[in-house]
Each structure stands twice: as C-alpha cells, then as structure tokens.
C-alpha cells in the first residue's frame, strides 16, 4: 500500500533530499506540499499546512522540513488531524517541546518518526557494533564545514533558538550518540559567538565517560575554510583506531577501509518510516538535542568578530 | 536505626539548612564533613571527600552541598564506596551528568536522592491537588530576590555552568513542575546578561501547554530591590485564582488563606531520605534542570550593564 504524503517546508533539505527520496520510494507518494516559497514539481503547493491538510484528506503522513521553530505547531496540527508525522532534525527547539509532540502522537496513536539522518549510514551502525564491549582510550570528532557553502543567506540559524553551528554539529552528536553506549556526557565547552549574530559559529567540547581519563573531544566549526570535514576517530584500549569519515559514510579500522557506503541516508529514513507506520512504533530519541542543551548549560562564551552571512553578490 | 552521615561542602546552604536539619533528625547522625573552609560543630572536617570516606567507614550516606560543578565527582566516589547519596539542587550542571550519576547509583544499588527543596512545602502539594483536572486560563510566576542579600561575594554562580539567576529561579521552576501535569514547556525567553559576568542576572520566560492561548509566564530577577518575591499565581478556566507565595509556604484561593505552612522543607527532605533508604528507592527528577536547558536553547540574550557582585566593604 502506497501512503499519501504532504510535505511542509520546501527549503534546501526538502529540495535536495526529501523530494528525490520520496520520488524513488515504493512506499510513499507525494500528493501536496505547503511552503511560503519553493515548488514541488507537479503537486499543488499551499501557503500553509492547514490549507494543505484541508484540501487533501487523503494525506496519511506529513513530512516536516520547516525551520525548527515552526515544527511543533505543524506536527501537533497534523497529529490531531490523524496523520503520521516525520520530523527533520532537530525535532524541536527544546526538549520540552519535543516531549509534548511525542505525547500528542502517543495520545492520538499516530507514528512519530523523529529522524537523525546521519545515523542512517551503514558505517555508523558498523562502528557501533565494533565498539560494543570495547573500552575507549580516546575519541575526537571534527564536524566542520563552511556555512556559506551550504546555507548562504539563511538567517534563522543565527537567531535565538536557531542553533547556530549546532544546526550542523548536531549531526555529529547524533553519530556520537549512536556509536557509544553509554553516551559520553559533556564536561566543558567553549562557544565562539560572533558579534553580529546570536548563536555560536564554533565550539570546542570535552566529554567524559565517567572515569574522566580518556580524552573525548569535539571541534565544531561553521566558518571552516576548505572541504567539509565530518569525522570521528576512536582509539580503543586494545589499540585499534576506528575512523568514521564523510559524515559517517566511510569506516576504516587501523587504516584499512572497511565500509564505503552509499549516500542513501534519506532512502533508509523513508524505508524505516514505512516499517514504523506498519508496526505502529515511533522513534523518539532526544539524546542529540540533550547534548546541545548540555553544551549550552556548561559552555563558556567567547565573543569574536563578525561572521560573513552571505556570499558577495 | 540511625544512619551515619558525611557532609561534603560547608557553604551557606549546609550551615543554614542541612546542619540544623541533621541535628534535629531522629534518623541521621553527622559523623564527619569535608570542606575547604567552614566548620561543622563537633565533628571532624576533612580537606576533601576522599579523606573523609577513608577515615570513616561507618558513613552510610553522603550529603553533597558543594557547588554544582563539584557534585558529580563526589557523588560517583561515594556511590562506588557503597554510600547512599543526597544531592542539593541542582543535582548536576548538565542532564547527561545527572543521568550518569543516576546510572551509577542504580548499578551499585545505592539510593540517590536528588532533592528540589521548594517542592517540599505543604502548600505546593496542596496546590497540585487543587489544580488536578483543572484547565488553566493563565499563570504568572515571580521568583525575585537580591543576589547580595543571599550570596554576597559568591563568584561561582556567575561563571559558565554556574547557572546565574537560574541558581535560584530553578526553585520556582521546580515548584511549577510539581504543581502542573503536564508541565508547561518553554516557548520563548529573554536573558539579561550583565557585561561583567558570564550568566544571566534576570530572565523573562513564556511557556505553553499545547493550545498556546493561555498566557503562562515567569519573571526571574536576581537584582531585585526589596524583599524577596517568590510567588506563583494561577487562574483556572472555572475562574478560581490560586496564589502560592513565600517560596511555596503559603497558599490562598480567591483571596482566602488556605495553607500557612512551617518552614520545614529540609526536615521533610531528610525524613523522605530515611524512607528512601529503607525502601531502596531513588528520586531522579530532571525536569527543573531540563526547563533551564530549554530556556537556554530558546533564549535571546540581551546584554546589559554590570551587576554588583559584593556589598561595599
């Protein structure tokens, strides 16, 4: 059975990932979209999600790709209209908001699929399996890219509640939370906040696993010059070096390439959503968002000069 | 059976609340303390918790009244030495750290009592009972006091991870989380950060319950001039006005005083701890800390002029 989808928010992530993934899926069919701007191919686009839901009672599931601040209202309206809901990451601006959405989904017996796309790489799951039962000697994560290469002119990320560098760094944190059990917790953080925006552009974070001896660190930078660097390197106490690179797509162990995966995160997200709808199960993982909250609770702010927000005309 | 207690941290809250409460308790006896400074009456005081634990194997429970940054290490050492642990609020700097402490307590089958002292007022529990099943038309909370009246010269609260105004506002948030089910979630926040410290001195917060129509607001101020104002006023849709005042000690309904409680929060905390140790149950409530995290995730920072950190000599 093919499920009818309504997509809300037609920005970059919808255009680059969701629309192609839906088009390629055997489980879903896009029947309508809602957006203030942007098109979705042949399907009708409504000015807001309420108009979309009213015009298309056949919609069974709503995909929410708006900025985080708008997600809760759309999610609640969709759930209360009896639709299943898939959320882009982060699922909400706050932990309380996310818990509220999850509670409404449970009350209305609808599926909530709160996705963390970077976790869907085959190399991430393989690394988790290899680390199971291993003691950790050290970890370092770099999650670095240039904001202007991926989000030129996008303003909401720099406003309060817009996450700043954590809009992308939360992908690295979602990978870290997937490969470690237990998940390291935040010990200290330095946040670099440019004087022309409200949120950090870069952060250095130290984590602990409880014994406080293994150095577990992360460097996040959204003003990085050069090609994106999205890597996690773990050294085990037995001496192995596991390196996850290319956002979790490749895994090497002691220099030998073990996994060189496809770029198929979103295909897997939709495949998983179909299974969740069939079984009635939800995915409600707040750990990556909690790690960002903990970084802000601990973080020492360092004020720096302005960051460039758009490319020269 | 009387349980032997070791107390770690002999600052203001230990001197004003814990030592008198332990002295008055029939369930506990103080046998030693650890502190960089400060005395504890007749019992020996050690320079750190490890020396205290080594010298007093008879200690059955450790009370932790250090600043939040030091709590995790003391708690873990105490739990791993087989002691039960009581934590002053907030239980840790971050949610992940708190979860780690709770996991270690569970693994070692020791009781963890993470206290939120303001919740122990009789008027708070009465207000919760009165609000059960009621629809909320409005809420406003004021939690305001002058920092210099209660913490003159105390520096750690103003550093990263020191909570700033939320060191005291978290008491109001703990009351709010106790009287409402479900707990309101953070919609927006403004944080006033003085230019001579790292943390906010005041905050305005808007909360929601899901329908977004009831105004649910809080004003927190640590630079308040005048006597402390620690109040929560709730108007129900049936027209009742419930007012909790004096940190949750008094409750009036429609202007009639209903509860005028004792100042016995800490007596009740210790009484509850004795019961928890007997039954083997822990209290691990992270909601007030999560509300602070959510305020920081949403909060818009407004930079203001310097705050005075100590009284004139």
């Amino acid at each position: 059975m093919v499920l009818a989808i309504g997509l809300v928010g037609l920005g970059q992530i919808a255009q680059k990932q969701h629309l192609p993934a839906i088009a390629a899926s055997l489980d879903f069919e896009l029947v309508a979209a809602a957006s203030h701007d942007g098109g979705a191919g042949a399907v009708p686009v409504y000015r807001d999600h309420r108009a979309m839901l009213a015009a298309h009672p056949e919609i069974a599931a709503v995909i929410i790709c708006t900025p985080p601040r708008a997600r809760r209202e759309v999610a609640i309206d969709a759930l209360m209209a009896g639709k299943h809901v898939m959320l882009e990451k982060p699922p909400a601006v706050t932990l309380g908001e996310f818990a509220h959405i999850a509670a409404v989904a449970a009350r209305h017996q609808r599926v909530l699929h709160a996705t963390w796309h970077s976790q869907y790489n085959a190399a991430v799951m393989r690394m988790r399996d290899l680390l199971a039962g291993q003691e950790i000697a050290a970890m370092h994560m770099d999650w670095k890219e240039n904001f202007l290469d991926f989000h030129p002119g996008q303003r909401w990320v720099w406003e309060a509640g817009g996450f700043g560098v954590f809009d992308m760094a939360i992908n690295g944190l979602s990978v870290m939370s997937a490969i470690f059990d237990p998940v390291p917790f935040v010990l200290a953080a330095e946040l670099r906040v440019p004087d022309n925006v409200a949120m950090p552009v870069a952060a250095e974070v130290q984590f602990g696993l409880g014994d406080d001896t293994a150095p577990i660190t992360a460097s996040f930078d959204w003003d990085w010059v050069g090609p994106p660097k999205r890597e996690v390197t773990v050294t085990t106490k037995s001496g192995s070096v596991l390196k996850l690179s290319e956002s979790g797509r490749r895994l090497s162990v002691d220099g030998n390439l073990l996994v060189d995966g496809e770029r198929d995160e979103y295909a897997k997200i939709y495949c998983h959503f179909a299974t969740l709808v069939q079984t009635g199960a939800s995915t409600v993982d707040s750990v990556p968002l909690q790690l960002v909250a903990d970084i802000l609770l601990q973080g020492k702010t360092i004020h720096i000069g302005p960051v460039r927000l758009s490319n020269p005309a």
Side-chain angles (χ1 to χ4, degrees), chain A:
Chain A
M1 200 186 114
V2 175
L3 286 172
I5 274 184
L7 180 68
V8 181
L10 286 169
Q12 213 161 59
I13 197 72
Q15 301 287 348
K16 275 168 76 172
Q17 299 291 354
H18 289 267
L19 293 177
I22 297 166
S25 168
L26 301 174
D27 300 306
F28 298 99
E29 183 192 9
L30 187 71
V31 297
S35 173
H36 298 309
D37 47 38
V43 306
V45 177
Y46 296 86
R47 261 202 65 78
D48 65 36
H49 66 283
R50 289 193 185 92
M52 180 190 81
L53 290 171
H56 293 272
E58 77 275 22
I59 287 174
V62 173
I63 314 296
I64 303 177
C65 302
T66 65
R69 275 196 173 279
R71 283 181 197 158
R72 176 177 47 82
E73 191 183 334
V74 178
I76 300 301
D77 287 345
L79 291 165
M80 292 182 61
K83 316 303 182 188
H84 304 297
V85 165
M86 183 200 284
L87 293 167
E88 247 303 335
K89 61 85 209 178
V93 179
T94 67
L95 293 158
E97 234 186 0
F98 185 26
H100 173 65
I101 297 169
V104 172
R107 197 182 316 136
H108 289 265
Q109 297 181 289
R110 296 291 91 185
V111 168
L112 177 66
H113 185 24
T115 63
W116 300 100
H117 62 79
S118 300
Q119 294 181 341
Y120 282 78
N121 286 291
V124 172
M125 294 300 102
R126 185 72 175 275
M127 186 145 173
R128 180 193 62 186
D129 294 343
L130 291 173
L131 288 175
Q134 295 281 332
E135 288 193 87
I136 307 304
M139 183 211 89
H140 182 71
M141 167 162 53
D142 282 310
W143 221 264
K144 299 174 172 181
E145 62 180 46
N146 199 292
F147 167 77
L148 295 175
D149 292 341
F150 297 91
H151 304 273
Q154 202 171 83
R155 304 311 283 261
W156 63 262
V157 293
W158 296 112
E159 294 162 7
F163 289 93
V165 65
F166 298 108
D167 179 71
M168 68 94 181
I170 205 168
N171 296 329
L173 293 165
S174 78
V175 167
M176 192 181 89
S177 76
I179 62 177
F180 288 105
D181 181 23
V183 178
F185 52 86
V186 177
L187 290 179
E190 274 190 8
L191 309 170
R192 297 185 182 272
V193 180
D195 59 20
N196 59 332
V197 297
M199 300 303 292
V201 67
E204 298 288 325
V205 187
Q206 290 174 48
F207 301 90
L209 273 168
D211 59 6
D212 284 11
T213 54
I216 300 179
T217 54
S219 300
F220 302 126
D221 191 350
W222 224 2
D223 196 22
W224 175 248
V225 177
K229 187 176 184 187
R230 305 181 189 115
E231 301 179 352
V232 184
T233 305
V234 176
T235 307
T236 67
K237 287 199 179 157
S238 59
S240 288
V241 178
L242 294 83
K243 182 170 175 181
L244 200 58
S245 56
E246 298 199 20
S247 307
R249 207 171 59 72
R250 291 163 75 111
L251 173 63
S252 68
V253 177
D254 300 329
N256 304 309
L257 188 64
L258 207 66
V259 181
D260 187 6
E262 301 292 323
R263 294 191 189 280
D264 59 358
E265 298 173 3
Y266 281 83
K268 287 183 186 155
I269 284 174
Y270 277 88
C271 186
H272 193 192
F273 192 35
T275 306
L276 293 168
V277 169
Q278 272 172 357
T279 59
S282 288
T283 61
V284 185
D285 173 11
S286 63
V287 174
L289 184 56
Q290 186 190 299
L291 287 166
V292 174
D294 283 354
I295 290 168
L296 297 181
L297 278 166
Q298 275 270 7
K300 183 174 175 172
T301 296
I302 295 166
H303 296 283
I304 62 170
V307 64
R308 213 171 67 186
L309 301 178
S310 51
N311 289 311

